[in-house]
């Protein structure tokens, strides 16, 4: 009794909901903004430089002056650039550029199409092979054969090196918990960085050109190979490994006879993701003089030539779809072969041999005869596509201007301008305090410390106001993405038919490189920050919708049935059962939505989005602004890291505390 009396005498601990704390923080921010707006906002003119920017410029000049004398460059960076450059040049000589004293590549268009068709059939199926052949013939008909082959050459070079590095590292991480713990934060950081950010620092060490573009591409494409390979190795059942070891298998035999064969399909899917990441990065690397379709798109976007941009963008989409379908079909064939015990149909080997002979004949013809080496004509289709896109653009801007301008003005007035005014008009220390407080409340003290460090470093870059402008666009786009993600994701999670109809479109959308999303919205809305925001919404929505749908589907059916039996209607089941129990998935969807949106908003610097994206692009095109562009890239990284840490920590907390307190 004494114990009970003592417990009753102690004051009860009051647990305050995090939602109330977040609301209080935002309310306090708004109140202080009304009083302090316009003070301590750290503005910086478009042509102004800070001491840090000048030091970056001086560093760039010093590195350029010592590139041929500094031992670190002579025996390390220059050698890496030379090896990568030789690899790229060799592949270009094979399929895209005149070489070895010839006016045409070693293998002309007929040989390339034959090899692509044969490989697609051998590793996939006849339907995929026919689609691949049609896609590559279309490149020639569009008048973009050489540009397409340059893009393919850089992609192949980057993927080869990325897989040579990524698969062994992934196997090592799959076998060793220590290696996995070391690599995970590194891979998280690399995948958090928007694609733009890789370019500026690499040009500092590897100059501008195909070599730097390939190195940036392989760095961007390696993390998926490592992650998926490690996951594949770890996903093999422990009982299977233990059975092999009990039979006397060594570690090497267990790896080569058990782990790798059982992981083959997942590893092939990792190859698919590596190829998709590489193709996306190769197009953006046109900003550092990478040849190919990306350069055509960049030039067209800079001159607002929608027709040319659409024609080249279509070629990029076709290449992405072909490469995606081939590697996906290859993974299916690997699984079917494994289930069949490694046996294949008896008729397949003779057909493969006959196909190999036909392919070799086409390669010889393309090497020997001009008609099989240079694609005949082939500009008519591209001209028709470009003219049609231009006509559609003019029609939409004339006939739909009332609708498009209305949508743009409405969202700009109701969402974008208030967000931007709040962020850019608040004192920097107030915004920093709010970010730290929100990080601590949502993600814990570690997330709060991360937010504090990132905020301080953003201030140090001298680009606080541009960072806040980018943050405003990112927050507006993410808000709309989450609304779409929840609405469509819940529908897909509750309806198998909706999932079957919508998911293929989402999968196809995720194969398209970032540049491609800008083109149709440039036609609709012209060059403006709103164009970048709409493109970011469409770019980020698929991954957010899919994660939300998977979270809704993961709610146990028995729980839903119990709620139904208790008399809950559909709306109550969604809001009181499925969404609360999917809180961890929703937080992860927020994380991915933020990262995807930030990446696309920055790319939107090419079409008038301004802020950090413009700073990065200007740094490549104007030498005196190189240091500012490098600082802008650093600011983008800091924003990405801060978002990623806070939302991931919040996801972990939501998974541990499903009550939401």
């Amino acid at each position: 009794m004494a114990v009970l009396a003592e417990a009753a005498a102690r004051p009860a601990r009051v647990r305050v909901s995090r939602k109330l704390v977040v609301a209080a923080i935002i309310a306090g921010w708004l109140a202080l903004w009304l009083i302090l707006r316009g003070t301590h906002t750290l503005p910086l003119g478009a042509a102004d430089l800070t001491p840090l920017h000048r030091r970056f410029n001086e560093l760039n000049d010093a590195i350029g002056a010592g590139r041929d004398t500094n031992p670190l460059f002579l025996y390390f960076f220059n050698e890496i650039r030379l090896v990568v450059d030789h690899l790229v040049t060799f592949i270009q000589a094979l399929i895209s550029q005149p070489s070895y004293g010839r006016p045409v590549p070693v293998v002309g268009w007929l040989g390339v199409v034959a090899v692509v068709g044969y490989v697609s059939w051998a590793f996939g199926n006849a339907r995929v092979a026919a689609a691949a052949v049609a896609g590559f013939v279309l490149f020639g008909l569009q008048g973009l054969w050489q540009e397409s082959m340059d893009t393919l050459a850089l992609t192949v070079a980057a993927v080869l090196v990325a897989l040579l590095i990524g698969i062994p590292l992934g196997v090592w991480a799959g076998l060793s918990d220590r290696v996995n713990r070391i690599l995970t934060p590194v891979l998280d950081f690399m995948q958090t960085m928007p694609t733009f950010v890789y370019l500026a620092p690499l040009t500092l060490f590897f100059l501008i050109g195909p070599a730097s573009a390939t190195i940036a591409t392989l760095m961007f494409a390696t993390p998926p190979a490592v992650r998926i390979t490690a996951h594949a190795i770890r996903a093999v059942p422990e009982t299977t490994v233990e059975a092999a070891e009990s039979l006397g298998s060594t570690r090497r035999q267990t790896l080569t006879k058990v782990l790798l064969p059982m992981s083959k399909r997942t590893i092939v899917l990792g190859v698919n993701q590596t190829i998709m990441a590489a193709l996306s990065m190769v197009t953006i690397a046109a900003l550092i003089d990478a040849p190919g379709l990306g350069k055509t798109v960049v030039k067209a976007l800079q001159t607002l030539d929608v027709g040319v941009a659409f024609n080249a963008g279509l070629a990029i989409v076709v290449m992405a779809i072909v490469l995606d379908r081939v590697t996906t079909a290859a993974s299916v064939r690997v699984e079917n072969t494994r289930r069949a015990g490694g046996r294949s149909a008896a008729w397949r080997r003779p057909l493969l041999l006959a196909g190999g002979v036909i392919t070799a004949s086409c390669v010889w013809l393309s090497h020997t005869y001009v008609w099989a080496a240079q694609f005949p004509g082939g500009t008519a289709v591209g001209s028709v596509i470009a003219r049609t896109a231009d006509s559609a653009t003019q029609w939409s801007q004339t006939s739909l201007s009332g609708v498009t301008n209305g949508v743009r003005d409405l969202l700009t007035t109701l969402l974008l301008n208030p967000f931007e005014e709040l962020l850019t008009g608040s004192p920097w220390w107030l915004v920093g305090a709010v970010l730290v407080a929100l990080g601590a409340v949502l993600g814990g003290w570690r997330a709060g410390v991360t937010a504090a460090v990132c905020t301080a470093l953003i201030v140090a870059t001298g680009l606080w106001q541009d960072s806040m402008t980018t943050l405003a666009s990112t927050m507006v786009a993410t808000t709309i993405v989450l609304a779409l993600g929840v609405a469509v994701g819940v529908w897909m999670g509750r309806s198998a038919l909706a999932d079957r109809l919508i998911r293929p479109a989402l999968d196809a959308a995720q194969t398209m490189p970032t540049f491609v999303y800008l083109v149709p919205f440039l036609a609709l809305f012209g060059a403006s920050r709103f164009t970048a925001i709409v493109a970011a919404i469409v770019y980020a929505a698929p991954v957010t919708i899919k994660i939300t749908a998977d979270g809704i589907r993961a709610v146990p059916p028995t729980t839903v049935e119990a709620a139904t039996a208790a008399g809950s209607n559909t709306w109550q089941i969604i809001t009181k059962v499925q969404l609360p129990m999917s809180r961890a998935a929703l937080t992860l969807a927020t994380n991915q939505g933020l990262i995807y949106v930030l990446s696309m908003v920055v790319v939107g610097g090419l079409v008038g989005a301004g802020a950090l994206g413009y700073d990065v692009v200007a740094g490549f095109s104007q030498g005196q602004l190189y240091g500012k562009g490098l600082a802008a890239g650093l600011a983008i990284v800091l924003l990405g890291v801060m978002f990623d840490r806070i939302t991931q920590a919040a996801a972990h907390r939501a998974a541990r505390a499903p009550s939401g307190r």
Side-chain angles (χ1 to χ4, degrees):
M1 293 295 293
V3 173
L4 292 174
E6 182 182 350
R10 285 196 302 262
R13 294 178 61 189
V14 179
R15 298 185 65 185
V16 180
S17 170
R18 284 197 298 273
K19 293 180 181 178
L20 291 178
V21 176
V22 170
I25 292 171
I26 294 175
W29 181 15
L30 291 172
L32 290 173
W33 170 75
L34 291 173
I35 300 170
L36 301 170
R37 58 180 172 181
T39 61
H40 304 144
T41 56
L42 306 181
L44 185 71
D48 295 338
L49 302 178
T50 68
L52 177 65
H53 305 160
R54 294 189 181 90
R55 280 196 290 272
F56 280 155
N57 283 339
E58 292 167 1
L59 176 63
N60 185 36
D61 294 339
I63 288 176
R67 192 176 300 278
D68 296 327
T69 57
N70 189 309
L72 185 62
F73 281 88
L74 282 175
Y75 303 110
F76 184 69
F77 291 118
N78 289 356
E79 292 299 320
I80 292 176
R81 181 167 60 87
L82 189 63
V83 170
V84 173
D85 193 50
H86 281 330
L87 175 62
V88 174
T89 302
F90 172 72
I91 299 176
Q92 285 182 305
L94 285 180
I95 62 173
S96 66
Q97 296 287 342
S99 55
Y100 307 115
R102 296 163 49 87
V104 292
V106 173
V107 180
W109 74 270
L110 182 63
V112 171
V113 170
V115 169
V116 167
Y118 180 72
V119 170
S120 302
W121 175 60
F123 290 96
N125 54 57
R127 187 171 61 253
V128 170
V133 168
F136 272 67
V137 170
L138 178 62
F139 299 150
L141 295 176
Q142 290 179 270
L144 295 171
W145 178 261
Q146 182 168 325
E147 291 87 344
S148 300
M149 292 305 100
D150 280 329
T151 297
L152 182 63
L154 265 66
T155 302
V156 169
V159 168
L160 286 176
V161 180
L163 294 179
L164 285 175
I165 297 171
I167 290 180
L169 275 179
V171 171
W172 194 12
L175 296 174
S176 170
D177 290 337
R178 178 181 297 177
V179 174
N180 191 54
R181 284 195 301 270
I182 293 172
L183 287 179
T184 297
V186 177
L187 297 176
D188 287 343
F189 178 74
M190 293 177 70
Q191 291 192 293
T192 300
M193 292 169 57
T195 48
F196 256 26
V197 176
Y198 285 86
L199 304 181
L202 286 175
T203 59
L204 194 64
F205 298 103
F206 298 106
L207 296 176
I208 288 176
S212 291
T214 305
I215 293 169
T217 301
L218 71 90
M219 288 181 64
F220 184 71
T222 299
V226 178
R227 278 191 186 281
I228 296 176
T229 302
H231 169 73
I233 296 295
R234 289 177 174 273
V236 175
E238 291 184 8
T239 53
T240 305
V241 177
E242 291 169 358
E245 291 174 346
S246 66
L247 293 174
S249 296
T250 63
R251 292 190 66 183
R252 182 185 181 88
Q253 289 171 328
T254 302
L255 175 63
T256 57
K257 303 294 185 182
V258 178
L259 291 172
L260 287 178
M262 294 189 69
S263 306
K264 192 179 294 182
R265 181 182 182 183
T266 306
I267 292 174
V268 174
L269 288 175
V271 173
N272 170 279
Q273 293 301 300
T274 302
I275 291 173
M276 292 298 100
L279 181 59
S280 176
M281 188 66 188
V282 160
T283 57
I284 291 177
L287 292 170
I288 56 174
D289 204 31
L293 295 168
K295 180 176 286 190
T296 304
V297 174
V298 169
K299 289 181 178 178
L301 290 175
Q302 290 174 337
T303 59
L304 304 182
D305 190 339
V306 176
V308 172
F310 185 85
N311 187 43
L314 177 62
I316 295 172
V317 171
V318 170
M319 184 172 291
I321 292 173
V322 167
L323 295 178
D324 178 63
R325 292 299 92 196
V326 170
T327 49
T328 301
S331 69
V332 173
R333 177 169 290 280
V334 165
E335 180 65 15
N336 292 339
T337 303
R338 186 183 69 81
R339 290 177 178 174
R343 297 184 302 273
S344 58
W347 50 265
R348 181 169 173 79
R349 184 168 295 180
L351 281 181
L352 285 174
L353 181 60
V357 172
I358 295 172
T359 301
S361 300
C362 291
V363 170
W364 178 80
L365 288 172
S366 71
H367 180 77
T368 307
Y369 296 100
V370 174
W371 63 267
Q374 291 181 337
F375 200 93
T379 59
V381 173
S383 299
V384 170
I385 292 173
R387 286 197 303 270
T388 303
D390 284 332
S391 300
T393 299
Q394 292 174 3
W395 177 84
S396 65
Q397 291 177 350
T398 302
S399 304
L400 302 178
S401 59
V403 176
T404 56
N405 292 343
V407 172
R408 182 188 63 198
D409 295 342
L410 181 66
L411 290 178
T412 300
T413 303
L414 294 182
L415 286 176
L416 184 56
N417 287 344
F419 264 106
E420 188 169 320
E421 176 60 26
L422 180 62
L423 285 164
T424 59
S426 298
W428 68 268
W429 50 265
L430 176 58
V431 178
V434 169
L435 291 174
V436 172
L438 290 176
V441 171
L442 296 175
W445 68 269
R446 287 189 178 89
V449 170
T450 301
V453 172
C454 290
T455 299
L457 291 176
I458 290 172
V459 172
T461 64
L463 295 170
W464 176 260
Q465 200 158 74
D466 282 356
S467 299
M468 292 304 98
T469 302
T470 296
L471 178 57
S473 298
T474 301
M475 296 306 296
V476 168
T478 303
T479 301
I480 299 173
V481 165
L482 290 179
L484 285 173
V486 170
V488 182
V490 168
W491 183 27
M492 290 174 59
R494 291 175 55 82
S495 169
L497 176 61
D499 189 85
R500 285 197 301 272
L501 293 175
I502 297 173
R503 192 171 290 267
L506 300 180
D507 291 339
Q510 286 191 281
T511 65
M512 294 194 297
T514 51
F515 270 5
V516 177
Y517 287 87
L518 294 174
V519 177
F521 299 111
L522 178 64
L524 283 173
F525 300 104
S528 68
R529 56 181 179 167
F530 186 76
T531 301
I533 290 174
V534 177
I537 292 168
V538 177
Y539 179 62
V543 66
T544 308
I545 292 170
K546 288 166 71 174
I547 293 173
T548 303
D550 292 341
I552 295 294
R553 193 177 297 107
V555 174
T558 52
T559 305
V560 178
E561 291 168 2
T564 304
S568 298
N569 57 34
T570 300
W571 177 253
Q572 290 171 327
I573 290 172
I574 293 172
T575 57
K576 303 296 184 182
V577 178
Q578 291 178 312
L579 286 177
M581 294 189 70
S582 306
R583 188 176 291 108
L586 293 174
T587 312
L588 178 61
T590 303
N591 170 277
Q592 293 300 295
L594 273 169
I595 299 304
Y596 273 63
V597 165
L598 177 61
S599 176
M600 192 66 192
V601 165
V602 171
V603 174
L606 289 169
V607 292
L612 294 177
Y614 172 80
D615 293 334
V616 173
V617 175
F620 292 131
S621 58
Q622 304 175 45
Q624 72 274 16
L625 296 180
Y626 178 85
K628 191 173 185 178
L630 198 59
L634 176 60
I636 294 166
V637 171
L638 294 168
L639 286 174
V641 169
M642 181 166 57
F643 290 153
D644 182 65
R645 291 299 92 192
I646 292 174
T647 50
Q648 282 208 25
H652 294 154
R653 176 175 283 187
R656 292 195 303 269
S659 65
R661 289 182 175 270

